[in-house]
Amino acid sequence: MKSLYRLLPLLSHQHFTSGQLLAGELQVTRPTVSNWVAELVAQGVDVYSVKGRGYRLAEPISLLDRDRVLALLSKEVTRRLSVLDIRTDVDSTNAWVLAQPPAPGRWSVCTADFQHQGRGRRGRAWQSPPASSVMVSAAVRESLTGDALYAASLVVGVAVVRAIRQVAKVSVALKWPNDIYCDGRKLGGVLCELQGNPLDQPVLVVGIGLNVNASPPGLDRDIGCLRELAGEFIDRNDLLAALLNELQCVLADLGQAGGLATLLQEWASYDCLLNRSVTLVQGEQQQIVVARGIDAQGQLIIDDERGQRRTVNGGEVSVLW
């Protein structure tokens, strides 16, 4: 754990705590406390600093609590867990669970209050202020078909929508293939990776990142968070447990006859691109197309610039909201 994150549970949004008291509690010098506060502020944590009074959080934060999360998990999820590691900070939750692959039928789960090297699609950096988002990765080994593995990011998106509706009480949409949106603002996304042979019960790593109580600073596009939509502070423990519970539900559905088709139909009901003109980027090429939903495999259906209908199984789409 990086030392400065030891400050987070000692800071209150209700009263000031002196630098001297913090230094004594952490067994460091007062200048060290000052430097750590400055670094937290640079990372997006809003901290008031008043000479003679000390430090106070401008807003409450929701630190992850392992016991609370375990109490909220369903019996099925608890039974499957081989590892539930809730960390103060980590380089990458996906990388952590990939390094600890579970046995068949079991899960390895890692989440953290802060992620140093979070990744989105195509290797892009994904980072939010400490203790403001949900960043969780679950490595699972389930008996899934090749079609189910191919459509994993879409299926997980369904679980994310369900969990958000349950905890934040807001309706969100999905943008092919793996983004979570609401009113033209991106709230987060899903990153799935496979380790092993798809024909031999590989490890599927499901990574979910959601802006919960704050948005990442300094981005040049429309980004939102669930707190803004819900109009109230959200407990990240509640949302984390709901995400894992809903993930188990959709994976169980995938094991049933017709389960994939049913989940993709549900995904289609959340599709925010349907019948919209979008920019499709594939490698160095890009073109304006019209999105027409998804097919039975989860591929994007488009009408291209010549009016011809075809499917797309890779690439990136963007739209002017």
Side-chain angles (χ1 to χ4, degrees):
M1 177 176 67
K2 195 171 181 181
S3 296
L4 72 93
Y5 300 113
R6 295 161 56 204
L7 261 177
L8 286 173
L10 301 180
L11 295 174
S12 170
H13 76 283
Q14 297 175 320
H15 57 79
F16 284 88
T17 305
S18 71
Q20 182 177 354
L21 183 61
L22 291 170
E25 184 74 20
L26 297 169
Q27 297 185 330
V28 297
T29 65
R30 290 180 65 180
T32 296
V33 170
S34 178
N35 290 336
W36 286 354
V37 169
E39 190 169 345
L40 286 174
V41 170
Q43 292 178 359
V45 180
D46 198 356
V47 183
Y48 293 138
S49 176
V50 177
K51 188 174 181 180
R53 300 187 68 187
Y55 306 98
R56 179 174 73 81
L57 294 170
E59 297 181 331
I61 59 174
S62 171
L63 295 172
L64 295 174
D65 183 319
R66 189 175 189 275
D67 289 339
R68 176 165 168 73
V69 172
L70 284 172
L72 293 168
L73 293 178
S74 69
K75 291 182 179 179
E76 273 301 306
V77 174
T78 302
R79 184 179 66 83
R80 280 175 159 75
L81 281 178
S82 58
V83 178
L84 173 60
D85 194 8
I86 297 182
R87 308 175 71 87
T88 301
D89 63 311
V90 69
D91 287 341
S92 164
T93 57
N94 265 32
W96 193 96
V97 295
L98 274 170
Q100 300 195 48
R106 306 302 296 276
W107 293 14
S108 293
V109 177
C110 178
T111 186
D113 284 314
F114 185 71
Q115 190 172 217
H116 298 279
Q117 298 174 12
R119 291 182 294 123
R121 292 191 74 225
R122 302 182 182 276
R124 293 191 182 98
W126 193 92
Q127 192 174 91
S128 286
S132 67
S133 300
V134 165
M135 299 162 287
V136 60
S137 296
V140 305
R141 293 188 70 179
E142 306 280 348
S143 297
L144 301 176
T145 66
D147 285 345
L149 292 171
Y150 176 83
S153 64
L154 279 73
V155 169
V156 174
V158 170
V160 173
V161 171
R162 292 178 182 177
I164 290 173
R165 286 184 168 183
Q166 175 186 332
V167 175
K169 313 299 183 188
V170 297
S171 296
V172 297
L174 297 171
K175 173 176 167 287
W176 187 91
N178 63 349
D179 289 334
I180 317 299
Y181 268 76
C182 185
D183 297 331
R185 304 175 74 185
K186 184 175 178 178
L187 305 175
V190 175
L191 178 64
C192 291
E193 301 179 86
L194 279 182
Q195 185 181 68
N197 188 335
L199 301 178
D200 188 27
Q201 202 169 7
V203 175
L204 171 65
V205 175
V206 175
I208 301 170
L210 284 173
N211 303 326
V212 181
N213 289 313
S215 302
L219 297 181
D220 59 353
R221 52 183 169 166
D222 289 332
I223 302 293
C225 70
L226 291 174
R227 181 181 181 181
E228 295 169 343
L229 298 173
E232 61 182 12
F233 185 79
I234 295 171
D235 190 319
R236 294 188 305 136
N237 296 286
D238 293 342
L239 184 57
L240 173 60
L243 287 168
L244 294 175
N245 289 339
E246 292 297 340
L247 175 61
Q248 187 278 322
C249 289
V250 297
L251 291 178
D253 289 345
L254 282 178
Q256 305 298 317
L260 176 60
T262 300
L263 288 167
L264 291 181
Q265 287 175 359
E266 184 174 349
W267 188 98
S269 70
Y270 308 136
D271 183 3
C272 66
L273 296 182
L274 185 63
N275 297 327
R276 297 184 68 105
S277 292
V278 301
T279 301
L280 172 65
V281 181
Q282 294 179 297
E284 300 297 321
Q285 298 182 336
Q286 65 179 47
Q287 59 177 313
I288 304 298
V289 302
V290 178
R292 299 299 189 190
I294 57 173
D295 67 8
Q297 286 74 47
Q299 300 177 110
L300 181 66
I301 303 170
I302 63 167
D303 289 341
D304 64 20
E305 294 171 321
R306 295 173 294 177
Q308 296 181 340
R309 182 157 296 185
R310 58 188 178 91
T311 58
V312 175
N313 59 15
E316 187 171 351
V317 293
S318 61
V319 59
L320 291 177
W321 302 97

